[in-house]
Structures are given as structure tokens and as C-alpha cells.
Amino acid sequence: MELLTVAEMASADQAAMAGGTSGFALMRSAGQAVALAAEAMAERGRILVVAGRGNNGGDGFIAAAELAARGRDVSVILLCDRASLRGDAAFAAEEWNGAVLPCDPQAIGKPNLIIDALFGAGLNRPVKGDPHAMIAAMNASGVPILSVDLPSGINGDTGEVMGIAVEASATVTFFRRKPGHLLLPGRVHCGEVDVADIGIDADVLDRIAPKTFENVPDLWADGFPFPQADGHKYARGHAVVVSGDVVSTGAARLAARAALRAGAGLVTVASPRDALAVNAAALTSVMVRETETPKQFGELLADKRLKACVIGPGAGVGERTREIVHAALSAHRGVVLDADALTSFAGAPETLFAAIKKQNDPQVILTPHDGEFGRLFSALRSDNPHGSKLEHARLAAVRSGAVVLLKGADTVVAAPDGRAAITANAPPWLATAGSGDVLAGIIGGLLAQGVPAFEAACIGAWMHGEAGQEFGPGLIAEDLPEMLPAVLRNLYDEIGIAY
């Protein structure tokens, strides 16, 4: 589940070499892993290796030699003069006894498979000249491509396309994945990613102490709120969701039902007077409480059994919502701020951040989509216009004092202490009206059960993606809460919990 930056992966390599494994031994293992993957992708026919001048190209030479030794028809195109290779890459090229073709896109021809070994994950400058032409020709060939470590042209830390990038069918990476394997657009360039063991001991992670992870159950399973046999509804937590006026009630109801399905023992919709009848008529297991003013909302939170608040879905933009947020923060509850709650502070975000930071160990989660993030953190984006989604989410968490869940197909969850997780299970049909309201409700239901903010945001994003996968095409937001029982059953099975 750990994701290593390019620098952290270099540290892992150095630690392995300090422990007695040579750099060339690591390269040999990497090349052998690439050869195995290549044989699985192309059982017959010619295989072309397109190699660069660095260690990525060295991996490609080892793979070429391995495949040739197994009787495969292999060709190699090299980006530079063979005599200019240095270090382990030069040693790897000595393993290859065949011809080396010049760097000419016309030399690609029509192989059965191309192995892309041009650049590694550390590329941090735009691709130009011969490499650009070669990548364009590889993509245009229509031939399946297996990339070594990361598709050439993708930045390993950010997932950014550096001018042009290989469109791989599959990727073999080593020891651990990088953020660029999961962040868009890098993820769509990778195809299926296989992580190969090349002899680096997992103990090196203790020294590296990575803070970026894929959002999967291994990250948070130990803290998942499994109901206890002697529990009761209040032990499972009571969540409150703030409704807007009579014409804006649906979003709050979506969030409330999601919170209940996510495991909260009770859920109440705090409703303005004019929306009471609409909300009461549409809700059954979710309770409704008249809450016309922020003062009434503060009085509602005097009940200590209310553990978490969801504010924003359909709440309305303006002073009332801002005051309700301040009331929730003053009551020191778990708080999810979404949609209108975020936009309500767009003109004065520092007042929100100051209120969050006043709390001791705030359990506050902000869940913006890209547009809401831009409104709330416009200064951050101005200061860091070229930052990645991961970097922006981390900076926003520090600036706000809250856990920030920056939504999208590659949702990033970041905590003020530097931890971050990238979610990769969201299907495209989650992009539908009301989907974010359901996500906010799921997270609120988890907060109500006592799950800490970072873990609640991670679990909520993962469950949201799984629910979308469970339903499939044709999904609308109302379907998502009804998929959560199946998601929970599958999770229980995976973890080994009887139900």
C-alpha cells in the first residue's frame, strides 16, 4: 500500500546496496521481471525494446538478453550511442549480443510487443526531440506496449505528462509503486501495473517512513468500526445532517441515508421549518428535527450523544451556513464540511481555518471538488500553480488544520501531519449529481462511530468507490447507499470478520 516518491525509491535502492546487494543485481532482477511480463503479454512474435541511456534502458537491455536466451525474436533500439552508456546501464548493454538499431521511429515496424525502457520515474523535464518522436511513433503503432517502471514521459511524483507520454498496455514497476502510478493522468497511461520483487527488503520502509499510501483496506482495517455484540444504537454514534430550505432538501437526505448505511446508530436531519414536512414525508429511519437558526442548531448539539455533523449538501450558501459551521466547531464534534459549507467561506477562508485550529485535535474533514477547492484555497493555488493534486491537498490540510479530501477519479485524502492516501477504485459512473452528498454522509457516519478524521475520510472514499463498482453503469446517487451492505459484506469477508 506504500507509495514511494522518486527520492524515496532511490533511498530504498541505496539501502539495498548498503546491505550488500549491488546495483547491477537489482537491475538484473528488474530486467528479468520485465522479461517475464513481456512473455505473458506476447506468447509469440517479435519483441522490440526501446531503451534510453539511464538505468531504465539498462533494465531494457537485461530484458532483451533474457528474452533472446529463451528463444524469442528480439530487437533493440537505443536512444543514444552505445559507447556513451555509463555505470550499470553499460554493464547491462554488455549482456546484449544482438544488434542495436538507431533511434529512428521508422525502425519500429510492426512487432508483437514494444518494451518501453526510455525513461524512468524521475523524469522532470519536458520530452523533446528524438525521444518525443519515438514516443509518438510507439503510440501510433497500435502495438501493445509494456512500460518499465513508469510509462516514459510520466512524472513519477505527480502523474503529470511531461509533454508527451507512452500509452502503455501494462507497466512493471519495482518494490513499490510511485504516486504517478495512481494520480491522473499518469494512471490512465500505465495500464495494468505489476509490482515486482527485485530483492529489496521491506524493512527499508522503516527507515524511509513513507507518508503516501494507496487507499486500500490494509491502510485502515485495524481501525474499522465493527459493531459489537453488546452494542446499542447510541454506542454506534448519532450523526446530524443539516438540511437546506424547502427547495433544497434532497442532498441532505442522500447524506443522511448514507450515514445510516455506513453504520451510524442514529441519524437526524436538522431541518428549517419550511422544509420539515418535505423531509419528514421522505424519511423513515432517519429522524427530523426543526432547526431554523444557528442558535437552535447549537442547542441541538448540547446533546452529547450527537457525535458528528455533516454540513453543506444543499445547506445554502451564506451567513446561516457559516454560523452553523461555527456552532458545530464550537461544540467540538466531528464535522464534515462539503459543498455549500465550503463555498460559504470562499470570501474569508482564514476565518474557517482559524476556527478549526482553535480545537484541540480537530476532527474536521473538508471534501471539496476541484472547483470548490479553487474557491476555498485560491491563495494556495496562486502560490503553487504547478503543484500536483497530492501536493495541493497536503498544503491545504496544513493551511486549514483539517483533513482535506480532494475529490475526483484520483481522490486524495491528506492530513495536517503529512499523511496522504490516493484512492484508485472510483468507477466513471460516480460522476453523477448527488454522488458527493452520499460521500459526505458516509464519512459523517464513520465519524459518528468514533473513527478518526483521516481514517474516516479514507474509508469513506474507498466505500464510495466500491459502492459505485457494485452497482455499475446506470448509477444514480440514490443507488449508492443501497450498495453499502454488499460493500460491507465483501469487506468483512476480506478481513475475516464473521457476520
Side-chain angles (χ1 to χ4, degrees), residues 286-297:
V286 173
M287 298 178 289
V288 181
R289 173 83 173 265
E290 180 182 336
T291 313
E292 184 70 27
T293 66
K295 182 175 183 294
Q296 286 179 303
F297 185 70

Side-chain angles (χ1 to χ4, degrees), residues 1 216-222 494:
M1 64 182 175
V216 291
D218 281 348
L219 179 62
W220 39 257
D222 289 346
E494 180 178 341

Side-chain angles (χ1 to χ4, degrees), residues 318-329:
E319 182 62 25
R320 175 180 178 269
T321 297
R322 288 193 295 273
E323 290 183 7
I324 284 174
V325 170
H326 283 300
L329 294 173

Side-chain angles (χ1 to χ4, degrees), residues 2-6 8-9 12 175-179 205 210:
E2 302 89 357
L3 302 175
L4 300 186
T5 65
V6 173
E8 287 170 341
M9 188 62 214
F175 183 56
R176 293 295 186 274
R177 282 173 293 177
K178 288 80 180 172
L205 294 172

Side-chain angles (χ1 to χ4, degrees), residues 67-454:
L67 289 164
R70 298 176 193 185
R72 298 304 300 267
D73 180 6
V74 185
S75 303
V76 176
I77 291 176
L78 181 59
L79 184 62
C80 59
D81 184 84
R82 189 167 182 169
S84 70
L85 296 175
R86 296 290 182 268
D88 290 333
F91 295 139
E94 291 176 5
E95 302 272 309
W96 172 245
N97 296 320
V100 174
L101 303 175
C103 181
D104 181 356
Q106 297 300 318
I108 291 175
K110 273 292 181 182
N112 290 65
L113 176 72
I114 296 172
I115 296 176
D116 157 38
L118 274 174
F119 301 118
L123 183 70
N124 57 9
R125 62 187 185 281
V127 178
K128 299 178 179 178
D130 289 342
H132 189 289
M134 186 61 68
I135 290 173
M138 291 161 66
N139 289 339
S141 71
V143 175
I145 301 174
L146 172 64
S147 284
V148 178
D149 196 18
L150 204 74
S152 293
I154 297 295
N155 182 295
D157 287 341
T158 69
E160 181 184 358
V161 173
M162 307 302 288
I164 191 172
V166 166
E167 297 165 3
S169 309
T171 299
V172 178
T173 194
F174 314 112
F175 183 56
R176 293 295 186 274
R177 282 173 293 177
K178 288 80 180 172
H181 288 115
L182 298 186
L183 292 170
L184 295 175
R187 191 169 85 212
V188 299
H189 281 259
C190 289
E192 185 174 347
V193 179
D194 178 46
V195 182
D197 178 4
I198 58 171
I200 300 175
D201 196 309
D203 288 349
V204 304
L205 294 172
D206 294 335
R207 281 172 278 174
I208 296 170
K211 286 197 166 186
T212 309
F213 307 90
E214 182 182 3
N215 184 12
V216 291
D218 281 348
L219 179 62
W220 39 257
D222 289 346
F224 191 82
F226 299 105
Q228 301 301 308
D230 59 351
H232 52 81
K233 61 186 179 183
Y234 285 106
R236 297 181 65 187
H238 189 167
V240 59
V241 179
V242 175
S243 171
D245 61 24
V246 68
V247 297
S248 305
T249 59
R253 290 198 299 274
L254 282 172
R257 188 165 182 84
L260 205 58
R261 283 290 193 196
L266 303 93
V267 178
T268 293
V269 168
S271 173
R273 185 179 298 114
D274 71 345
L276 275 174
V278 173
N279 280 324
L283 295 169
T284 48
S285 53
V286 173
M287 298 178 289
V288 181
R289 173 83 173 265
E290 180 182 336
T291 313
E292 184 70 27
T293 66
K295 182 175 183 294
Q296 286 179 303
F297 185 70
E299 292 168 352
L300 174 64
L301 294 185
D303 184 346
K304 299 298 184 183
R305 295 174 299 182
L306 287 166
K307 301 297 185 184
C309 309
V310 179
I311 307 170
V317 176
E319 182 62 25
R320 175 180 178 269
T321 297
R322 288 193 295 273
E323 290 183 7
I324 284 174
V325 170
H326 283 300
L329 294 173
S330 297
H332 300 285
R333 297 296 195 274
V335 181
V336 182
L337 300 181
D338 184 45
D340 291 349
L342 301 173
T343 301
S344 290
F345 285 94
E350 295 304 327
T351 62
L352 172 62
F353 304 159
I356 293 170
K357 291 176 180 178
K358 279 184 180 179
Q359 297 193 48
N360 179 29
D361 187 27
Q363 297 298 301
V364 181
I365 302 167
L366 313 182
T367 60
H369 57 55
D370 189 68
E372 292 159 349
F373 186 92
R375 289 191 286 274
L376 195 63
F377 294 101
S378 58
L380 183 154
R381 281 201 166 158
S382 296
D383 294 342
N384 301 272
H386 303 298
S388 69
K389 183 173 186 175
L390 178 61
E391 182 182 3
H392 281 163
R394 276 198 164 109
L395 291 170
V398 172
R399 185 164 296 188
S400 66
V403 169
V404 173
L405 185 153
L406 181 49
K407 292 186 282 198
D410 55 350
T411 290
V412 173
V413 180
D417 63 10
R419 288 176 296 163
I422 304 171
T423 308
N425 68 337
W429 31 88
L430 278 178
T432 184
S435 176
D437 304 321
V438 173
L439 173 60
I442 294 172
I443 297 169
L446 293 162
L447 277 180
Q449 296 171 79
V451 181
F454 178 73

